[in-house]
Amino acid sequence: MFYHVKELQYHAKPDRPDPIFAKKLQEVLGGQFGEISVALQYLFQGWNTRGDGKYRDLLMDTGTEELAHVEMLCTMIARLLDGAPVGDLEEAAKDPVLGAILGGMNPQHAIVSGLGAMPADSVGNPWTAAYINASGNLLADFRMNLTYESQGRLQVCRLYEMTNDRGVKDMLSWLIARDTMHQNMWYAAICELEEQENIVVPSTFPRKLEKQEVAYTYFDLSRGTESSKGRWASGPSMDSLGEFTYVENPPPFGEKPFIRPAPPYMFNTPPHILKHIPPHRG
Amino acid sequence: MFYHVKELQYHAKPDRPDPIFAKKLQEVLGGQFGEISVALQYLFQGWNTRGDGKYRDLLMDTGTEELAHVEMLCTMIARLLDGAPVGDLEEAAKDPVLGAILGGMNPQHAIVSGLGAMPADSVGNPWTAAYINASGNLLADFRMNLTYESQGRLQVCRLYEMTNDRGVKDMLSWLIARDTMHQNMWYAAICELEEQENIVVPSTFPRKLEKQEVAYTYFDLSRGTESSKGRWASGPSMDSLGEFTYVENPPPFGEKPFIRPAPPYMFNTPPHILKHIPPHRG
Amino acid sequence: MFYHVKELQYHAKPDRPDPIFAKKLQEVLGGQFGEISVALQYLFQGWNTRGDGKYRDLLMDTGTEELAHVEMLCTMIARLLDGAPVGDLEEAAKDPVLGAILGGMNPQHAIVSGLGAMPADSVGNPWTAAYINASGNLLADFRMNLTYESQGRLQVCRLYEMTNDRGVKDMLSWLIARDTMHQNMWYAAICELEEQENIVVPSTFPRKLEKQEVAYTYFDLSRGTESSKGRWASGPSMDSLGEFTYVENPPPFGEKPFIRPAPPYMFNTPPHILKHIPPHRG
Amino acid sequence: MFYHVKELQYHAKPDRPDPIFAKKLQEVLGGQFGEISVALQYLFQGWNTRGDGKYRDLLMDTGTEELAHVEMLCTMIARLLDGAPVGDLEEAAKDPVLGAILGGMNPQHAIVSGLGAMPADSVGNPWTAAYINASGNLLADFRMNLTYESQGRLQVCRLYEMTNDRGVKDMLSWLIARDTMHQNMWYAAICELEEQENIVVPSTFPRKLEKQEVAYTYFDLSRGTESSKGRWASGPSMDSLGEFTYVENPPPFGEKPFIRPAPPYMFNTPPHILKHIPPHRG
Amino acid sequence: MFYHVKELQYHAKPDRPDPIFAKKLQEVLGGQFGEISVALQYLFQGWNTRGDGKYRDLLMDTGTEELAHVEMLCTMIARLLDGAPVGDLEEAAKDPVLGAILGGMNPQHAIVSGLGAMPADSVGNPWTAAYINASGNLLADFRMNLTYESQGRLQVCRLYEMTNDRGVKDMLSWLIARDTMHQNMWYAAICELEEQENIVVPSTFPRKLEKQEVAYTYFDLSRGTESSKGRWASGPSMDSLGEFTYVENPPPFGEKPFIRPAPPYMFNTPPHILKHIPPHRG
Amino acid sequence: MFYHVKELQYHAKPDRPDPIFAKKLQEVLGGQFGEISVALQYLFQGWNTRGDGKYRDLLMDTGTEELAHVEMLCTMIARLLDGAPVGDLEEAAKDPVLGAILGGMNPQHAIVSGLGAMPADSVGNPWTAAYINASGNLLADFRMNLTYESQGRLQVCRLYEMTNDRGVKDMLSWLIARDTMHQNMWYAAICELEEQENIVVPSTFPRKLEKQEVAYTYFDLSRGTESSKGRWASGPSMDSLGEFTYVENPPPFGEKPFIRPAPPYMFNTPPHILKHIPPHRG
C-alpha cells in the first residue's frame, strides 16, 4: 500500500518553457527504458517474489522511488509546455524560431493532453507493458533491471547534451546519479546471486539434460574471423564448467525438413500442386 | 548478405503431433524473449556497430545462428500441428482427450496459418519490434543480450518440463545448450568491456556532471529494513568510485510543484475553478 | 513522492489455488478498465493539473489508492497460481479436472511469469497506455473516470459470479465497494463542475462559433423511429440552451466531393485512368 | 445493412492546402477519441444490445452519423494534402515556409497514402479497437459515449484555434455543434437510465454483498487535506444510500503478504536464496 | 453519408448457442483479414480516390456492403453467446461438455462484452488499422483487396468445417459466395488496370531509372535448384519487357560496409574499444 | 540454416549525411510493406510449406534476399545519420538549415539508437508481425506477396523523388529493380497456380456449398451507377463459372435481428429497461 506526499523527490523546474524538449523528454518517461517501465517492472517483480526477504524489499524500495521519477518527469514536461503556442504553422514559419517551435512540437501535447505529459515516448508510441517482465527468477530479472538502468542512463545522458537549460540539466543530473546508484545496486545483487547460483540462468536445470557438446561452442556463421579474438572463443568458459571452442565453418547438424501435407479441411494448396512429395520420409 | 541451406542446424522432429504444445512453443519463437527477438536484435546491433572489429563480427555470427533457431522452431511447430483436428468442440468433448486438444489449441493455428507456425507468442500477441533495441552502446546492448538469453533459457527449461515427447525434448536440449553458450559468450564480452570502461553505462559521461551526493545512496522507501542487509547498502560501490550509504527515511529534496494555468486556447478547466492559484509562485 | 508499506490495503488470500480464475482475474488488473488503467490515469491527471486545489489532491489520493489495488490483485493472482501444475495436456486430459486446469490456464503464467501476475488482460494483451487519458479538462477527465469505475465495477461483479472461493469473493467485495465509492465520488466532482460550467465540454468555447442550427438536432439515420421516444428527441436540451428537434429523414448538407489528381511524383493511378475528371470543379 | 450516398453530410472544403494541418486533423479522425472510435463504438453497442427498443435505435442512428463524419474528415484531409510538395528538406529549408511545410508534414502522407487520409492519429499511431468498448450495460456504455463526445469536442475546439482557414473552420464548427448535440443526447439517455437504476453501475448487483463499511469512505492517501473540501467528503452520498466519510490517515486493512515458493519445475530463484521463509505462514 | 436499415443483408441465426464457436468466429470479424478490415480498407480507398469515376463508386459500393457483413457477424456472435454459462471451471469440469464450454470460451466475452461481439480476433487481439492501407495507387490497392478476399474466404471455409450448426453454415455460405464475387470483381478491376498500365506497380516510374541489369534476374540464395523450374526462372518476363535469367550462386555486388564512429555526445561505445578502424575508408 | 557474408548485396553509401531522409527511409525498412515484412513473410511461408518442391525453394531464395535488403537499408540509414547534430532546437533555428535538420529528425535516432537504424517505420511505429501472414494456401499468399512488392515499390519510387543524393538514388534504383523482378516473379507463380486451381481461393471448397445465387452478383450500395460500367458488372465472371449481374437497389435478404436478454449474472442493462421485447421472436 502506498502513501503520497506532494513534494517532489527532487526539483523539476526549467529556466524557461521549451515544448520541443518536452517532446524529447517523453522518451525517458514513457519509452521502452523510461521511468514507467522501471517503476512497474520493479513493482511487479517485487509483488511476484515468492518469499519475503531482502530482494523483495529491494524491489519495492526501488520501484517506489521510480514512481517519484515518473512524477518529476511529468512535472518537468508540463512546465516545459507552459504557455506553448498553437496556430498556423505556415504563418509562424515567417519567424524561424516560432516556426521551429510549432513544427517541432508533438501535436498531441496541444490537442490531446492540453499541455501535459503523456504516457508515451518521444515519437508518440503509448507505453506498453510488452516492454517489461517479472519472471520469478531473480537473476534473470536483475539482469533485465541492470539493462534498463544502463539503457536508461544512456538516454538521459544524451538528452543532457540536447539542452542548455540549467533547470533541466539540474534535474537530469539527479536522474543520472540515481541511475549510477541503481546500476551499482543491481550489479551488487547480481553478484550475490551469481555467487550462490553460478552465472547460467536458470541454475537449477540439470546440466546433463542439455546437449553438452555444443554448450561451449562458438559457431562462426558470418564470414570473417575477427570474432575468434574474443574471450568467448577460447579458454575456460565463464561459468568454469567448460572450455570455449571455436568452429569456423559450422555445418548443419539436422536434415532438410519435410512436413506432411495438411488435411483437406484446411484448404491449403493441394499436395499434388506442391509436388515433390517424397515417398518414404516424414 | 545471407545464404541459406535447407538443412536445419539441428533436428526438429517430434515423436507425434501435439497441437497444444505447438501453442506453448510459440512463446520461444515469437514472444518477448523468443528467437525472433534475439535474431533481429543481434543483427540490428551488428549493422549499427560503427567500426568493424570483433564485436560486430560476434553480433553477426550470433544473429545469423538465431535465424536458424527461428527455422527450427517453425519446423517443429508445423510438425506438432500435423493433421490437427478441427470440428465441433462440444461434440468432441465427449472424448476428453480430443476435447482437450480442440479446446487447448490456438484457434489461429487452424483458421489463420493452416497448421503452420506464426510470428506470435503463446497467447497470440504478434511479435513486435518494441521488444528489442540496438543503442550504439555495446555494454548496454550486451547486457540486454545476456538478459534475453537468461530469460529465454528459463522459458525453454520450463517448456522442457511440460512435455514427454522425446523428439521435442531433444530439440529443446539443443536450444538450452546454445543458450548456455550464449550466456557465457555475452558474459565474456561484457567482462572485456567492463575492464576497459568500468561498469556504469555510459562510461564517457563526465562523473562530475551528475548529482554525486546521491550517486551511491540507497533510499529505503518501502517500510521494513530487510534491504539494508544487501551488498548494495554498505561498503565500496561496485564501480569502486564511491561508498554505498543507506538512508532509512528519505525525505523529499524538492518542493510541492505548482504548474501555471494553460492559455485559454487550450480550453482546459478555467483557472478560477481550479482555484488556489498562489500569487507569487511559479 | 511515494512511500510504501508492506501491508495490503485489504486481504488478498484465496481459499485454494485456482489457476484458471487467475487468468480471468487478470482482466481487472491489466485490462482496459483494470487497476493499472485507473492508477496511472488518475496520477497523470493529477500531475497535469495546472493549479493545486482540491481536484489535484482528489486525483492524487485516489490514484495512490489504486496502486494498492494493483498490489492486491498481483498478490491474489500469485496465490491463485500457487503450485500450479504443468505437464502434458493430453496425458492430463485423462483426469478431466486436471485437464481442465491445464487447458484453461494462461500458458504465460507458467512459461513467462513463473506463476506470477502479469501486466496484461485475461486473454494476454499487454496493458497499453492507449487505454488512458489526461486532457487538462477536468470535466472531460472526470467523466472518463466515472466511466472507468462503472465499467470496472461491472467486470468485478461479473467475476464475483464466476467463483465459489470465499477468499476471492471477500477481496472482490472490497473492490466492488471501493468502486461504489469512486463512482459516487467522481459523480459528486462532476456535479460541482457542471454547476460552474454547464454540461457541454469544453464550456469556454464560444457557442456562437459552432453551427448552432444543428447543435440540438437529432438525426434519424437508421430506419425506424423508436429513437423519437427518448428524452433527447424533444423538449429543452439538457444544457438548457436549446430545444431538441427530431429529423426523420435527414438529407446531406454537403455536395458530392471531388478531389484533385495527385502530382506525378506521387505515382498514384494516373488521372486519365481515373477518368471523369470534371473541368471546372475544385 | 447500410446504404451510401455520395454527398457529404456537410461541406469539407478548405480554402487552400495545408499539409501540416492535415497531420493534426488526423487526431480527430483516427485518434483515441476520433470519429472512427465513436462510429465503431456506437455501432458495436447497438449490435450487441439485447432487445430492440429506442436505445438500440439511438445507437444505430448515431453510429451511422459518425460514419459520415469519418467521411468528411477523410475528404478534408485529402484536400489539405492537395499537391503537397516533396523533396529535399535541407534544400527546401532555404525557403522557411517551404521548409516548415516539408518538415512538419507526416511523411506517411507522402510515402504511404499518396496524399490521402490515414486511419491513424496525429503522430501516426494506427487506430486500435483497444480504444472502444461495448459492455452490454448501457449506463456504463452511455457514460463512455458522453466521455468520448466530451474529449472529442475538446480536441476539435483546440484544432479550431490552430488554423485560419475559413473552410476548415466551417467544417469544424459543424463537428463542434454535433458534439454539443451528442453530449446533450447521451446526457439525456443517462438521466433516463439513472432514474430507473440509481447511479451506481451495475445497479443489479446486491448491495449487501459488497464491503459496505468502505462503500462511502474517502481515503486521503496523498498528504494534504484540500480534498476534504469537496462534495465527495461529507454529506449524503450521490446515490442517496449512504453518507460520505473522510479518513485522513487510512491504515492498511490487510497483512503483509507472503507467497509460497514455486515448484522446482518453474526454475524460479530457489527458496533457500530468497530466505526469510517464515515457518507457519501461508 | 450513410443510411442504415435494421434488416440484415442475410440471416444470422444459429440453431443453438455455441460460445466456443463464437470465439473462433471473431477471427473473420476482427482479425487481420476480417470484415472490419475490408470495410474500412475499401472505404478509405474510396474516400482517397482522386477523381470520381467507376473505381471510386466500386470501392464505396463494396465497402458499404462489408459494413453489413460486420453487422451480420456481430449478430451471429451475440446469438452464439446467448445465455452462455459462467462459473467455477474446476467444478464444471466434472461435466466434460460444460467444462469444455467454460474452458474454451473467450473470457472477455463474459467479463468485458457481456455476451456480445468484440472488435477483436479469435485470440483476443483488438483490431488495428495497421492491417489496412489506401495508397492512392489503385492497382496496388486492388491487389491488396484481392489478397484480403482470398485470405478471408480461406478462413471462412475453414470455419465452415468446424461447426455442424446449420444456421451458422447457412450464413457462412453467404459470406463465402460474396467472397467469390469479390475475388472475381477485384480480379476484373485489376485486369482493366493492367491492360492500361502493364503489371509492374507503379507504372509511371521511368524504367530507365531503375537498375535494369537486375530487373529480371532470379537470385538463387537458398541451396538447391528446385526454383529453377518455375515460370519465373526463364522465358520472357510477365511484363513482356525483359527476359528472366537465373543466377545460381549470386555474389555480393557491394562491399563490406564501414560506418564512421559516432560523435562523443552520443555516448556510444568509444571508437578505440571498437578498434579496427581503418584509416582511409568511409 | 543461414550463412552471412559481410559484403552488401549492393552499395549503400550516400554522398552525404541527411538525418531527415534517414527518418523517411525507415518506412521501407520497418513499415507495413518494408523489407522486414517481406523477409519474414517469405521465410515463414517457406517454413510452413508442406511439401518441398519449387515453391518452398522460391520462398526461401527470396526471403533470404530480403534479409540482404534489410541489411542495406540499415547500413544506409546509419550513414545518413553520420555525425548528426543534437542540441537546442530554438538556438539552432537561427540557422534555418540546421533548424530544419534538428526539427525534422526522428528524436529516437539520437536518443534511442545512437544514430543507428531502428526496426520501425517513418513515424516511429515499431514493426509488428500483424503486418504479415503465412496461410498455408500459396495462391492466397503469393497474392499477398505481389501486393507487398507493389506497395513497396510504390513507396521506394516516392522516396526516390524526395532526395537529390546520388548515392541514395543509386541504392534505391537497385531496390526498385528487384521489386520489378519480384512483382514479375510472384505474378508468374500466381499464373502457374491459377492455371491449376482456377482463380478463386481456396479452390478446393465445394462450390455447391456456397450460396451460389449471389456468387456473381454485384450489389450497388452507394448511390450512383458509375460502377455498372466496369468489367465486374456484366459478362462472364473471371473464373468462367458464372455470369456477372448488377443489382442497383439491393434489398436486405435477412430480417431485423432480435437478441435475447442476457442472464442476470451478466449484470447487463435489465430487460425491462430495454423494453420492446417481442413475445414470439428470437
Side-chain angles (χ1 to χ4, degrees), chain A residues 1-7 47-48 50 57 60 64 71 74 78 82 112-113 115 117 119 127-129 134-135, chain C residues 1-7 44 47-48 50 57 60 64 71 78 82 112-113 115 117 119 127-129 133-135:
Chain A
M1 188 180 170
F2 295 84
Y3 295 91
H4 180 258
V5 297
K6 297 287 195 310
E7 289 77 19
W47 289 320
N48 285 347
R50 295 174 165 272
D57 196 22
M60 296 311 300
T64 304
E71 185 177 49
C74 284
D82 251 4
V112 177
S113 71
L115 307 182
W127 188 84
T128 164
S135 74
Chain C
M1 189 180 170
F2 295 85
Y3 295 91
H4 180 257
V5 297
K6 297 288 194 308
E7 288 76 20
F44 266 82
W47 289 321
N48 284 348
R50 294 176 166 272
D57 196 23
M60 297 311 300
T64 304
E71 186 176 48
D82 251 5
V112 176
S113 70
L115 307 183
W127 188 84
T128 165
N133 196 35
S135 74

Side-chain angles (χ1 to χ4, degrees), chain D residues 1-9 29 36 40 43-44 47-48 50 56-57 60-61 64-65 67-68 70-71 74-75 77-79 81-83 112-120 126-130 132-136, chain E residues 1-9 29 36 40 43-44 47-48 50 56-57 60-61 64-65 67-68 70-71 74-75 77-79 81-83 112-120 126-130 132-136:
Chain D
M1 188 181 170
F2 295 85
Y3 295 90
H4 181 257
V5 298
K6 296 288 195 309
E7 289 77 19
L8 299 175
Q9 194 196 24
L29 169 56
I36 299 178
L40 289 183
L43 294 174
F44 266 81
W47 289 320
N48 285 346
R50 293 174 167 275
R56 186 181 238 266
D57 196 24
M60 297 312 300
D61 283 344
T64 304
E65 179 178 3
L67 289 174
V70 172
E71 184 177 50
C74 284
T75 305
I77 288 171
R79 282 167 163 170
L81 291 169
D82 250 5
V112 176
S113 70
L115 307 182
M118 297 184 71
W127 188 84
T128 164
I132 65 171
N133 197 35
S135 74
Chain E
M1 189 181 170
F2 295 85
Y3 295 90
H4 180 257
V5 297
K6 297 286 194 310
E7 289 75 18
L8 299 175
Q9 195 196 24
L29 169 58
I36 299 178
L40 289 183
L43 293 175
F44 267 80
W47 289 321
N48 284 346
R50 293 173 167 276
R56 186 181 236 264
D57 196 23
M60 297 312 299
D61 283 344
T64 303
E65 180 178 4
L67 288 173
V70 173
E71 184 177 50
C74 284
T75 304
I77 288 171
R79 283 166 162 172
L81 291 168
D82 249 4
V112 176
S113 70
L115 307 182
M118 298 184 71
W127 188 84
T128 164
I132 65 171
N133 197 36
S135 74

Side-chain angles (χ1 to χ4, degrees), chain D residues 257-278:
Chain D
F258 171 77
I259 311 173
R260 285 206 186 81
Y265 50 76
M266 274 297 112
F267 303 110
N268 286 13
T269 301
H272 71 274
I273 291 178
L274 290 173
K275 292 207 187 73
H276 289 279
I277 298 169

Side-chain angles (χ1 to χ4, degrees), chain A residues 5 14 17 24 50 89 121 174 179 188 210 217 224 228 241 281:
Chain A
V5 297
K24 293 178 181 166
R50 295 174 165 272
L89 179 48
D121 69 12
W174 176 275
D179 287 357
E210 60 183 309
T217 308
S228 68
L241 298 176
R281 272 192 286 162

Side-chain angles (χ1 to χ4, degrees), chain B residues 96 100, chain C residues 16-20 85 89 91-105, chain E residues 88-96 99-100 103:
Chain C
R16 60 182 181 284
D18 182 348
I20 295 156
L89 178 49
E91 188 67 23
K94 292 165 190 168
D95 171 351
V97 174
L98 185 58
I101 294 173
L102 282 177
M105 275 184 68
Chain E
D88 192 274
L89 179 48
E90 288 186 51
E91 189 66 24
K94 292 165 191 168
D95 171 350

Side-chain angles (χ1 to χ4, degrees), chain B residues 86-92 94, chain E residues 14-16 18 21 80 159-170 172:
Chain B
V86 300
D88 192 274
L89 179 48
E90 287 185 52
E91 188 66 24
K94 292 165 190 168
Chain E
D15 289 352
R16 60 182 180 285
D18 182 348
F21 197 76
L80 286 166
L159 284 162
Y160 188 94
E161 297 292 318
M162 294 182 190
T163 180
N164 298 321
D165 187 296
R166 284 167 309 166
V168 173
K169 278 182 183 291
D170 185 51
L172 296 181

